[in-house]
Amino acid sequence: MFTGLIQALGSLERSNELLHITCVDDHADLILADLAIGDSVAVDGICLTVTTVLPQGFIATASPETLYRTTLGELRQQSRVNLETSLRVGSKLGGHFVTGHVDGVGQVEAIVQTATSWEMSFVVTDGQISRYIVPKGSIAVNGVSLTVAACNQEGSWFKVAVIPHSYASTNLQFLKVGSRVNLEGDILGKYVEKFLRIVPPTDTALDSYDGHPVDISLSFLAEHGYV
């Protein structure tokens, strides 16, 4: 589990499924301080397992499925990637819960610099992602926790505002119109959707779950952590 708050930038070199990642900025210690074999690191929002620890980085292996469903399979050598180590129990949760299991890939439609931020809009063709894009909801773009500033009803288009700190500290600064990015929807929205699909509301709001009658109400959702 991650938070979507990027700790460092890395340089990626790939040989088939083998990924060699070198930390390239002044925050390398946040990644390397106690990094060990078997640890999880989010690389551009993709949860990978460390197989070798190096003086200035690490090596991980990506499955063919991961390379196919994310941008890892199309990145150029020495591309800059966002890095974040897994969330520790008791750590601050400054972003939102990010699993590192990318839902799919989106594409940059426009980038506009304003007085206070960079407004970036994206198009999404995969319904597996768009169904979880809602106004003011959370989304991870290349592993960066962002808030949806605006979106269309279908979720096939959305816009975020990236503050200067996030822009300068992540590889969002290198994006251009047409760039492809990894997207992960909010996991809480996924659980709510599944719960409501298992127990669809009826005219009387009465159904059953695991064989027991339930009343789908705000108090019921709050009791189970959804409100």
Short mmCIF file of all heavy atoms in Angstrom, two decimals, residues 22 45 63 90-91 121 151 178 190:
data_model
loop_
_atom_site.label_atom_id
_atom_site.label_comp_id
_atom_site.label_asym_id
_atom_site.label_seq_id
_atom_site.Cartn_x
_atom_site.Cartn_y
_atom_site.Cartn_z
N THR A 22 17.77 3.59 -11.02
CA THR A 22 18.77 4.36 -10.30
C THR A 22 18.14 5.66 -9.80
O THR A 22 17.52 6.40 -10.58
CB THR A 22 19.96 4.70 -11.21
OG1 THR A 22 20.52 3.49 -11.74
CG2 THR A 22 21.04 5.45 -10.43
N GLY A 45 3.74 4.43 -10.14
CA GLY A 45 2.45 3.95 -9.67
C GLY A 45 2.26 2.46 -9.74
O GLY A 45 1.19 1.96 -9.41
N SER A 63 6.33 -8.50 -14.79
CA SER A 63 5.75 -9.59 -15.56
C SER A 63 5.32 -9.09 -16.93
O SER A 63 5.10 -7.88 -17.13
CB SER A 63 4.54 -10.17 -14.83
OG SER A 63 3.47 -9.22 -14.82
N GLY A 90 1.40 3.50 10.94
CA GLY A 90 1.64 4.66 11.79
C GLY A 90 2.16 5.87 11.04
O GLY A 90 2.27 6.95 11.62
N SER A 91 2.49 5.70 9.75
CA SER A 91 2.99 6.84 8.97
C SER A 91 1.85 7.79 8.61
O SER A 91 0.67 7.41 8.64
CB SER A 91 3.65 6.34 7.68
OG SER A 91 4.78 5.56 7.95
N SER A 121 -5.22 17.94 -18.38
CA SER A 121 -6.42 17.16 -18.68
C SER A 121 -6.01 15.89 -19.41
O SER A 121 -5.02 15.86 -20.15
CB SER A 121 -7.41 17.97 -19.53
OG SER A 121 -6.82 18.44 -20.72
N CYS A 151 -14.53 16.60 -14.52
CA CYS A 151 -14.60 15.42 -15.39
C CYS A 151 -15.95 15.40 -16.07
O CYS A 151 -16.90 16.07 -15.63
CB CYS A 151 -14.38 14.12 -14.60
SG CYS A 151 -15.65 13.76 -13.36
N GLY A 178 -0.23 14.09 -25.53
CA GLY A 178 -0.06 12.78 -26.16
C GLY A 178 0.67 11.77 -25.29
O GLY A 178 0.64 10.57 -25.58
N LYS A 190 -13.94 1.47 -5.43
CA LYS A 190 -14.08 0.12 -5.98
C LYS A 190 -14.83 -0.79 -5.02
O LYS A 190 -15.67 -1.60 -5.42
CB LYS A 190 -12.70 -0.46 -6.29
CG LYS A 190 -11.93 0.32 -7.35
CD LYS A 190 -10.51 -0.21 -7.50
CE LYS A 190 -9.71 0.65 -8.45
NZ LYS A 190 -8.30 0.20 -8.58
#
